[in-house]
């Protein structure tokens, strides 16, 4: 039962907040899996299969708002918890609540200035909300943060591609081409990267010489 899982989710949140919890509810096999996913998300919140599985589990029965409210409650109890802010932002972003998601990701970006993900997700949200210049600035900040870490190629590639697409979307072709050049320099032997860049420019009607 999803209500059982909601109680378990509340229990997990309370435990993380060092609050006493004495509720014990038996879980189905499916609920137990989702409970584990929730625990993983609360430690390392990010887009991907784990978040998708948890969100759809609640959304499928119209309980997405309850999940969102539980995420918000955790940020109210732990306002300086970066992971809590990130998970709240993810839940709000999935519901296209750009204002709420932006506030949560902005707080997370302030709390963890070395992590590129809050800046990246904030940039995505601002672009979705048509705040293009602010979104571009945050995507560029995410790139700068990544370059200061041992980032994987995929992480940097994803952010740069999002940046290039956004620049093309608002007609900033020269700036988008500069990002393209960064990608080519970073991944000179990666034909997949070159193909993806070319497809991006072609789709935007900007593919030239």
């Amino acid at each position: 039962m999803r209500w059982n899982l909601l109680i378990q989710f509340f229990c997990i949140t309370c435990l993380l907040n060092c609050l006493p919890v004495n509720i014990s509810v038996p879980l189905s096999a499916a609920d137990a899996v989702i409970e584990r996913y929730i625990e993983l998300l609360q430690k390392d919140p990010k887009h991907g299969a784990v978040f998708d599985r948890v969100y759809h589990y609640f959304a499928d029965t119209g309980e997405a708002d309850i999940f969102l409210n539980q995420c918000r409650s955790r940020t109210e109890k732990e306002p300086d918890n970066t992971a809590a802010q990130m998970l709240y932002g993810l839940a709000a972003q999935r519901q296209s609540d750009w204002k709420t998601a932006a506030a949560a990701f902005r707080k997370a970006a302030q709390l963890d200035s070395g992590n590129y993900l809050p800046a990246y997700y904030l940039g995505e949200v601002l672009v979705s909300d048509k705040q293009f210049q602010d979104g571009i600035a945050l995507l560029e900040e995410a790139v700068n943060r990544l370059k200061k870490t041992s980032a994987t190629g995929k992480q940097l590639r994803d952010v740069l591609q999002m940046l290039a697409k956004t620049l093309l979307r608002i007609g900033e072709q020269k700036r988008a081409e500069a990002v393209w050049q960064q990608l080519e320099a970073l991944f000179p032997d990666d034909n997949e990267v070159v193909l993806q860049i070319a497809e991006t420019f072609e789709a935007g009607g900007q593919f030239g010489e």
Side-chain angles (χ1 to χ4, degrees):
M1 294 291 293
R2 282 173 168 77
W3 279 105
N4 288 348
L5 183 61
L6 287 169
I7 294 172
Q8 288 292 320
F9 180 43
F10 177 75
C11 293
I12 294 168
T13 302
C14 289
L15 285 169
L16 290 172
N17 292 327
C18 300
L19 296 177
V21 176
N22 297 311
I23 301 174
S24 178
V25 180
L27 297 179
S28 69
D31 287 347
V33 170
I34 296 299
E35 180 189 7
R36 177 57 180 156
Y37 283 162
I38 289 172
E39 291 174 348
L40 292 174
L41 274 179
Q42 289 179 323
K43 294 175 182 176
D44 185 23
K46 58 187 176 183
H47 286 302
V50 174
F51 176 76
D52 290 343
R53 181 76 180 273
V54 170
Y55 188 84
H56 286 305
Y57 187 88
F58 292 107
D60 286 348
T61 54
E63 295 168 353
D65 284 343
I66 296 174
F67 176 65
L68 179 66
N69 289 337
Q70 292 288 356
C71 293
R72 185 186 67 242
S73 294
R74 188 177 173 212
T75 64
E76 291 170 349
K77 293 183 177 74
E78 297 183 74
D80 293 333
N81 186 319
T82 303
Q85 296 290 346
M86 288 288 287
L87 185 52
Y88 185 32
L90 289 172
Q93 183 180 14
R94 185 57 59 91
Q95 293 195 16
S96 300
D97 184 349
W98 310 130
K99 182 177 180 180
T100 298
F105 289 140
R106 184 172 284 107
K107 177 68 172 178
Q110 292 169 351
L111 290 170
D112 190 354
S113 60
N115 187 352
Y116 86 99
L117 272 179
Y120 179 32
Y121 290 167
L122 177 55
E124 284 186 324
V125 166
L126 293 175
V127 169
S128 296
D129 198 30
K130 296 183 170 50
Q131 299 181 50
F132 296 113
Q133 294 299 338
D134 289 342
I136 287 167
L138 265 298
L139 292 173
E140 291 174 336
E141 171 64 19
V143 171
N144 291 334
R145 291 186 180 194
L146 273 169
K147 289 181 176 179
K148 295 176 182 178
T149 67
S150 55
T152 67
K154 183 180 184 308
Q155 290 170 333
L156 189 54
R157 183 181 64 191
D158 288 347
V159 181
L160 287 171
Q161 286 179 331
M162 177 68 182
L163 177 58
K165 288 178 182 178
T166 304
L167 289 166
L168 281 176
R169 184 175 175 183
I170 62 172
E172 293 272 5
Q173 184 175 359
K174 289 186 177 180
R175 292 175 67 189
E177 287 174 351
V179 176
W180 187 346
Q181 291 168 1
Q182 285 189 62
L183 280 162
E184 288 180 323
L186 289 166
F187 307 100
D189 301 318
D190 193 329
N191 291 330
E192 181 182 353
V193 169
V194 174
L195 178 61
Q196 288 175 342
I197 297 169
E199 289 175 345
T200 297
F201 274 74
E202 188 173 23
Q206 305 286 346
F207 188 69
E209 305 158 2

